[in-house]
Amino acid sequence: MSQTLQAVRGMNDILPDQAELWEQFEETIRDWLHAYGYRPIRMPMVEPTPLFARAIGEVTDIVEKEMYSFEDALNGESLTLRPEGTASCVRAVLQHNLLYEGPKRLWYMGPMFRHERPQKGRYRQFHQVGIEALGFAGPDIDAEQIAMCARLWDDLGLQGIRLEINSLGQSEERARHRADLLAYLEQHQDRLDEDARRRLHSNPLRILDTKNPQLQALVEGAPKLVDYLGEASLKHFDGVQQLLRDAAIPYRINPRLVRGLDYYNLTVFEWVTDQLGAQGTVCAGGRYDGLISQLGGKPAPACGFAMGIERLLALWQDQGHRHEIVVPDAYLVHQGEAAARFAFRVAEALRSAGFAIQLHCGGGSFKSQMKKADGSGAPVALIVGDDETAANAVSVKPLRGGYEQPPEQQRVGFDELADHLGTLLFPMEDDDGSL
Ligand code: ATP
Ligand code: MG
């Protein structure tokens, strides 16, 4: 026998138990985004490679070493599996001229691809929820996005996620800082690692973002970007902080927070937890006022963030939460040819009435079918044999799994079945379905 094929390393199957948790998470996410006026957008998973090189920056982890790029076999065009959503989202907004009517609040959710070393919380296919607010210049939208995150942690019952913020100022301010930073790092060249040495002249700011513990002390002593901010940048930063204080959202200014992507300016933020080991950042974002014009659009300010769904759900489960188990309303067992046809009709009629019915398929004794019914977690088994079929009726048997004290089994006529089942399953509801 040939060996069974395996999924690509770092790309995970999400099996039904987990996938149900994902669905419930996604429902919460949709309600939460709706509450803030964000509208959905869906972009392709493959984009022309130059989009990411231009948007994210040539000297970044993503573009230097993490992209899944390949040549289109037909026309030789270089294509890339999207490593993140912002570039695609802005590309779509420009292509369809969406800013024509004014600012936009947009969100998306889906898989992203990065060729990284797989480990806990770091995968090659992972999933993000991302939001982008395009055309808004003030600190209010930055603060609103941060407050959104705080609310989501609360909605999900997540604890221990702390907020770090910083300001990257504007490019002239970064240029002055860069000169001093470069001088400082050149003085200590012998202490730099290979990555840092390579970036020293192309992108020294990025060295502050290093994950190498041996560089921490060096980086700690480096000139701080905040000390180079001009009046307007400081005012924007103060504005964000004021709104955060008003909303009672605690934060820490982390001068080393520079983010791994080139397109950020002014506000940057990360939500971090100590409970996930090395992969502790669950959400990251900030302002990127230059990106839209960099991608060929009419200049417009913008701000957004992305959160890692795998990391959030791992934290959620680590903190003892369990998702609601999804069970059918009833499991339908049957025996005999005529009964099988009647059962099929009963199942469809009940589904039309709004019930979730699992129809037994594949035969077997009543006993083995009843075992399946129990195992399904359904609160009720519906039984159709020759007698029931002849009487145009169904036996309704409450199951132990669904009730502490199951009511008696009862035979119910086909026409009364939906009402009967409704009363049995949802005894507190009025006729109109409200509680
Ligand atoms: P890191 O520093 O952990 O590599 P990053 O700065 O590359 O993160 P972003 O590009 O800002 O990450 O992505 C936003 C969020 O997406 C991260 O905070 C994280 O929660 C999640 N994320 C990023 N890369 C991965 C990955 N390879 N696997 C799982 N989640 C990821
Ligand atoms: Mg990364």
Side-chain angles (χ1 to χ4, degrees):
M1 219 172 79
S2 62
Q3 219 183 339
T4 33
L5 292 169
Q6 305 282 309
V8 175
R9 197 163 112 80
M11 303 202 181
N12 300 314
D13 299 308
I14 302 165
L15 301 178
D17 281 345
Q18 269 312 97
E20 277 171 0
L21 163 61
W22 279 62
E23 287 196 343
Q24 286 169 24
F25 172 77
E26 286 161 9
E27 262 170 50
T28 307
I29 289 290
R30 288 197 176 89
D31 290 346
W32 162 70
L33 289 160
H34 179 68
Y36 284 89
Y38 279 77
R39 297 186 64 205
I41 181 167
R42 301 183 185 215
M43 301 83 67
M45 248 161 283
V46 178
E47 296 276 359
T49 304
L51 171 66
F52 300 115
R54 242 165 97 182
I56 299 171
E58 296 280 0
V59 193
T60 55
D61 279 348
I62 293 182
V63 175
E64 279 181 342
K65 53 188 184 201
E66 294 176 357
M67 294 208 299
Y68 279 93
S69 300
F70 57 96
E71 235 177 55
D72 184 314
L74 284 183
N75 63 8
E77 187 184 5
S78 178
L79 302 178
T80 294
L81 296 181
R82 64 180 187 196
E84 54 102 56
T86 303
S88 307
C89 182
V90 169
R91 196 257 322 126
V93 162
L94 295 180
Q95 183 173 337
H96 303 285
N97 200 17
L98 293 191
L99 292 183
Y100 161 79
E101 309 157 326
K104 283 271 179 295
R105 286 174 161 97
L106 302 172
W107 73 272
Y108 49 82
M109 172 156 61
M112 306 294 163
F113 303 85
R114 297 186 193 177
H115 203 283
E116 311 202 60
R117 195 170 63 79
Q119 52 198 292
K120 181 172 184 275
R122 191 176 291 287
Y123 309 103
R124 290 179 172 173
Q125 176 176 322
F126 63 99
H127 298 73
Q128 287 184 337
V129 177
I131 74 165
E132 316 293 349
L134 307 160
F136 299 91
D140 48 355
I141 198 90
D142 313 28
E144 188 184 77
Q145 291 189 345
I146 293 171
M148 278 177 84
C149 297
R151 182 180 298 280
L152 181 64
W153 313 150
D154 212 47
D155 287 352
L156 292 169
L158 287 173
Q159 315 246 313
I161 308 181
R162 58 173 198 279
L163 171 64
E164 302 199 336
I165 63 173
N166 193 19
S167 174
L168 299 184
Q170 303 294 10
S171 55
E172 323 78 66
E173 293 154 359
R174 281 198 299 280
R176 285 198 300 119
H177 168 257
R178 183 192 151 112
D180 289 358
L181 177 65
L182 198 57
Y184 170 86
L185 291 170
E186 274 171 342
Q187 258 173 33
H188 300 95
Q189 247 195 82
D190 49 321
R191 289 166 63 191
L192 299 180
D193 65 8
E194 197 191 309
D195 252 4
R197 229 169 266 145
R198 192 163 38 82
R199 285 177 177 178
L200 186 56
H201 295 281
S202 53
N203 201 343
L205 190 62
R206 197 50 38 72
I207 298 175
L208 300 181
D209 193 26
T210 178
K211 295 194 173 75
N212 182 352
Q214 268 145 19
L215 289 187
Q216 298 310 309
L218 180 69
V219 150
E220 220 51 75
K224 294 184 173 42
L225 186 44
V226 228
D227 297 331
Y228 294 75
L229 298 188
E231 206 180 316
S233 295
L234 282 174
K235 187 157 173 261
H236 189 101
F237 198 30
D238 286 343
V240 175
Q241 292 180 59
Q242 184 62 59
L243 289 169
L244 291 181
R245 284 194 299 270
D246 289 351
I249 297 173
Y251 62 89
R252 185 176 83 91
I253 297 177
N254 176 359
R256 292 188 33 215
L257 183 61
V258 295
R259 304 284 308 113
L261 290 75
D262 259 1
Y263 50 56
Y264 289 106
N265 70 321
L266 293 174
T267 319
V268 286
F269 62 91
E270 287 194 358
W271 289 90
V272 189
T273 172
D274 298 324
Q275 296 165 37
L276 288 176
Q279 270 55 254
T281 306
V282 292
C283 174
R287 188 159 273 286
Y288 52 92
D289 294 335
L291 181 62
I292 292 177
S293 59
Q294 201 173 308
L295 291 180
K298 201 168 120 215
C303 187
F305 65 69
M307 46 182 73
I309 300 182
E310 283 84 354
R311 292 185 194 177
L312 274 178
L313 290 183
L315 186 64
W316 191 79
Q317 285 178 301
D318 286 356
Q319 292 187 356
H321 296 284
R322 291 293 167 261
H323 70 283
E324 226 175 278
I325 304 294
V326 183
V327 296
D329 292 324
Y331 192 100
L332 206 169
V333 309
H334 54 89
Q335 189 118 69
E337 224 168 275
R341 289 176 56 197
F342 181 48
F344 198 93
R345 204 153 60 79
V346 168
E348 281 297 302
L350 288 176
R351 290 174 191 135
S352 297
F355 295 99
I357 304 298
Q358 200 159 323
L359 174 64
H360 183 83
C361 289
S365 67
F366 253 135
K367 196 166 160 223
S368 74
Q369 292 193 33
M370 285 306 290
K371 251 197 197 146
K372 289 256 163 59
D374 258 326
S376 75
V380 168
L382 302 174
I383 304 167
V384 175
D386 291 340
D387 291 356
E388 282 87 356
T389 307
N392 198 37
V394 172
S395 291
V396 179
K397 182 178 166 56
L399 295 172
R400 207 169 306 124
Y403 297 88
E404 270 178 30
Q405 199 66 47
E408 292 293 301
Q409 175 170 330
Q410 217 179 326
R411 187 181 283 195
V412 182
F414 178 83
D415 293 334
E416 289 82 49
L417 187 57
D419 278 350
H420 180 84
L421 204 54
T423 320
L424 194 63
L425 293 175
F426 313 108
M428 302 299 284
E429 282 184 12
D430 288 328
D431 284 348
D432 64 358
S434 63
L435 281 173

